[in-house]
Amino acid sequence: MPAILDTTTPSAVPVYPGANLAPIEPLEAKAGIKLEPTKSTLVETVKALYDNCINLDEEPRREIINIGKMVANLTTGKLLLLRHPLDQRYTFVKRDTRFNDHKTVGGLFQYYRTKLNAEWLGSRPARDPICPSDDDRIEEFISAVKVVQDHYDRTLYDDRYETQESHSAQEYGTWITRYRWDEDRGDIVLELLPFPACAFDLRYRPEESPYFIYQQKCATNRLSKMVGYALPSDGNEADDTSAYGLRIIEEIARQGGGVSGEGQFRLSGDADSDRKETIVTEFWLAPEMYCDVELNERTKTVSGETLPAGTMMAEAFPDGLVAIGIDSMNTVLAIYPENKQDHIVSGVYHLQSFSGVGKGISDAIDVKKEMDDLHSQAMAYIKTRGTPAFGYNQDLISEETARNIGKPRKNIPISFKNAPEGVTNINQAIGPIQPMQPASGVFEYGKQLEN
């Protein structure tokens, strides 16, 4: 039998799907098993890439998050939107403070949002598996697949999820969904990731970006029990740039009322930093981000496998990786060889050019601001010119007597002793001033803005 020449080059290290390839030595050192933590090229590379990626697109990402915060607050009718007189940026003010001349047009923004939600829920697409051929066996197989697909359509894509998806699309122009296997439930779980808690290259969709960062908070006690040693809470450190989105989420959730309550003291909401929580970061990387990195030392991992010295990271993680860490990735708890495209899917609403994100309904903010200003001007005019005022002869009656005329069941003594010649009736001494109506253009422009 002739020999067969194999021209393929075997991988220097086997791939371990689902294995935690995070170096075990730094974690043991932090737990007190060793005195000094051992340096790891893998951990240092992940940390360096995280520090670089978290600061990319910081300003545009903050702008998108702030616009989403405005839309969220306007939708709930909590606050009134005005332009700051100094820097011309938008700011929120409480309705019944010293800005009591400014009123918000109630219900219109909420009605628009409710209408979009109804249209969103009413436009569920039909999901059918693709049949690659007309073979009878293939069609029978597709029918079985359809049963499974219909099951997950009912259990995952329910009204609650799609309503949250609609809100994310309206506020941030993007919704990001993550699919994962939940060991506790023993089934697939569908999660809508809050956009402020995510960071990625805004030129790409999240699943196509070279990196993707997702942050969430976990109870410090629970996390300490998992890692085996005491962890400090994030506290005020959660106010730094890396956790800006998490702070905005807390502010929106803890905004308070716009008419009374906490809203008058914390106009931008409140982020409580004393909840004994720790920020857990998921950091997804594509292979091109670390393809030139070589591990200089032999690395023993949490799962028990060993990465030999000289291993290229692209060989150990050929399809990408996800690193899970705390303390701004200074402590890496886990590294898995996973591709984010297998877990993350996103959508865009009102796409921005050459971008992976959308605009949502941010254009409606300017319209709402104009409607509020127009409404405030019209109401102020009606109060001062439109409501009939009364004029009275001050030589004949006093101001107090004139005020009592409008009160029911009030007996008012009136003397015509000092009345001018010919004045013999009270109607000649006091009478309403002719009211005036606002210009018709005010109502025409208001109708145009409403449309």
Side-chain angles (χ1 to χ4, degrees):
M1 182 177 179
I4 300 176
L5 179 62
D6 187 2
T7 59
T8 60
T9 302
S11 176
V13 62
V15 179
Y16 304 94
N20 183 358
L21 301 182
I24 187 64
E25 294 183 359
L27 297 178
E28 291 178 342
K30 290 179 178 293
I33 299 178
K34 294 184 179 180
L35 297 177
E36 294 294 336
T38 304
K39 291 185 177 181
S40 170
T41 306
L42 182 57
V43 172
E44 292 177 350
T45 300
V46 170
K47 170 61 177 174
L49 290 174
Y50 173 80
D51 291 339
N52 179 60
C53 293
I54 193 63
N55 294 316
L56 295 176
D57 296 328
E58 177 186 351
E59 290 301 324
R61 187 165 63 92
R62 284 200 179 205
E63 185 70 15
I64 296 173
I65 293 174
N66 290 334
I67 290 176
K69 176 183 176 181
M70 293 180 185
V71 174
N73 284 326
L74 286 173
T75 301
T76 55
K78 292 179 179 178
L79 297 168
L80 172 66
L81 184 66
L82 291 178
R83 192 181 289 275
H84 195 279
L86 298 180
D87 56 17
Q88 297 302 309
R89 292 187 177 184
Y90 287 116
T91 183
F92 289 103
V93 297
K94 183 173 174 291
R95 287 191 213 166
D96 56 347
T97 58
R98 58 190 180 91
F99 299 95
N100 54 7
D101 287 338
H102 295 280
K103 301 295 180 181
T104 182
V105 183
L108 292 178
F109 207 92
Q110 293 89 331
Y111 170 77
Y112 180 50
R113 172 111 166 203
T114 304
K115 181 174 180 292
L116 289 178
N117 287 339
E119 294 176 350
W120 193 278
L121 294 176
S123 61
R124 294 177 177 175
R127 302 177 180 91
D128 293 322
I130 299 176
C131 186
S133 69
D134 296 333
D135 188 87
D136 293 340
R137 291 175 298 176
I138 294 294
E139 292 182 357
E140 183 179 355
F141 174 75
I142 291 297
S143 299
V145 172
K146 181 63 176 175
V147 174
V148 178
Q149 183 174 340
D150 290 342
H151 164 72
Y152 284 109
D153 277 348
R154 292 190 301 269
T155 57
L156 298 182
Y157 298 94
D158 54 8
D159 289 345
R160 180 177 181 273
Y161 165 78
E162 293 200 349
T163 300
Q164 293 177 340
E165 184 182 73
S166 175
H167 290 173
S168 180
Q170 294 173 35
E171 294 167 2
Y172 306 104
T174 305
W175 66 95
I176 304 173
T177 302
R178 179 176 64 179
Y179 300 83
R180 67 176 179 87
W181 177 263
D182 192 319
E183 295 183 356
D184 296 331
R185 298 185 183 182
D187 203 350
I188 298 175
V189 176
L190 177 65
E191 299 172 325
L192 185 71
L193 305 184
F195 180 85
C198 302
F200 55 94
D201 192 333
L202 296 180
R203 299 172 299 172
Y204 304 91
R205 297 276 289 272
E207 63 270 27
E208 300 170 351
S209 172
Y211 67 92
F212 180 78
I213 300 172
Y214 173 61
Q215 295 176 320
Q216 55 183 325
K217 288 192 174 183
C218 178
T220 305
N221 294 336
R222 180 180 180 183
L223 198 59
S224 298
K225 184 177 180 180
M226 292 174 59
V227 300
Y229 60 93
L231 293 174
S233 300
D234 286 305
N236 294 327
E237 294 178 1
D239 293 336
D240 61 8
T241 302
S242 62
Y244 178 76
L246 295 181
R247 190 172 81 247
I248 294 298
I249 291 176
E250 286 200 5
E251 289 180 358
I252 294 177
R254 306 179 71 247
Q255 179 63 59
V259 177
S260 61
E262 290 297 317
Q264 64 178 330
F265 303 109
R266 299 177 177 89
L267 302 179
S268 297
D270 181 32
D272 189 355
S273 59
D274 190 25
R275 288 180 176 267
K276 306 302 180 184
E277 294 177 327
T278 299
I279 298 176
V280 180
T281 303
E282 296 180 23
F283 185 35
W284 300 76
L285 286 171
E288 59 266 24
M289 297 290 289
Y290 52 78
C291 60
D292 59 340
V293 178
E294 179 181 349
L295 303 182
N296 299 326
E297 62 284 319
R298 181 174 176 270
T299 305
K300 184 180 179 182
T301 64
V302 175
S303 294
E305 291 81 8
T306 300
L307 302 179
T311 301
M312 301 297 294
M313 283 188 62
E315 296 176 349
F317 308 95
D319 298 324
L321 65 85
V322 54
I324 302 174
I326 58 177
D327 189 21
S328 299
M329 297 303 291
N330 284 310
T331 301
V332 177
L333 303 177
I335 300 178
Y336 296 100
E338 296 182 5
N339 189 337
K340 62 179 177 300
Q341 293 185 349
D342 296 333
H343 300 270
I344 297 174
V345 179
S346 67
V348 177
Y349 187 55
H350 292 176
L351 178 67
Q352 297 188 50
S353 299
F354 306 104
S355 174
V357 296
K359 295 185 62 177
I361 57 174
S362 59
D363 292 340
I365 293 179
D366 290 317
V367 177
K368 183 63 166 59
K369 183 253 182 185
E370 294 293 339
M371 292 180 68
D372 287 347
D373 284 348
L374 191 66
H375 180 68
S376 298
Q377 293 180 24
M379 290 302 300
Y381 187 90
I382 291 174
K383 288 179 180 180
T384 57
R385 297 290 188 269
T387 304
F390 279 81
Y392 65 95
N393 189 330
Q394 62 180 0
D395 295 330
L396 181 61
I397 59 177
S398 64
E399 180 179 356
E400 180 181 0
T401 302
R403 290 180 181 275
N404 290 333
I405 291 177
K407 297 180 180 180
R409 294 182 297 178
K410 190 75 174 179
N411 295 324
I412 304 174
I414 299 177
S415 174
F416 291 93
K417 179 178 180 182
N418 298 324
E421 184 179 355
V423 177
T424 59
N425 192 304
I426 186 58
N427 292 329
Q428 295 176 298
I430 186 172
I433 299 175
Q434 182 67 29
M436 294 180 292
Q437 297 294 331
S440 60
V442 173
F443 302 101
E444 294 175 1
Y445 185 53
K447 187 64 177 179
Q448 180 180 351
L449 291 174
E450 183 178 349
N451 292 335

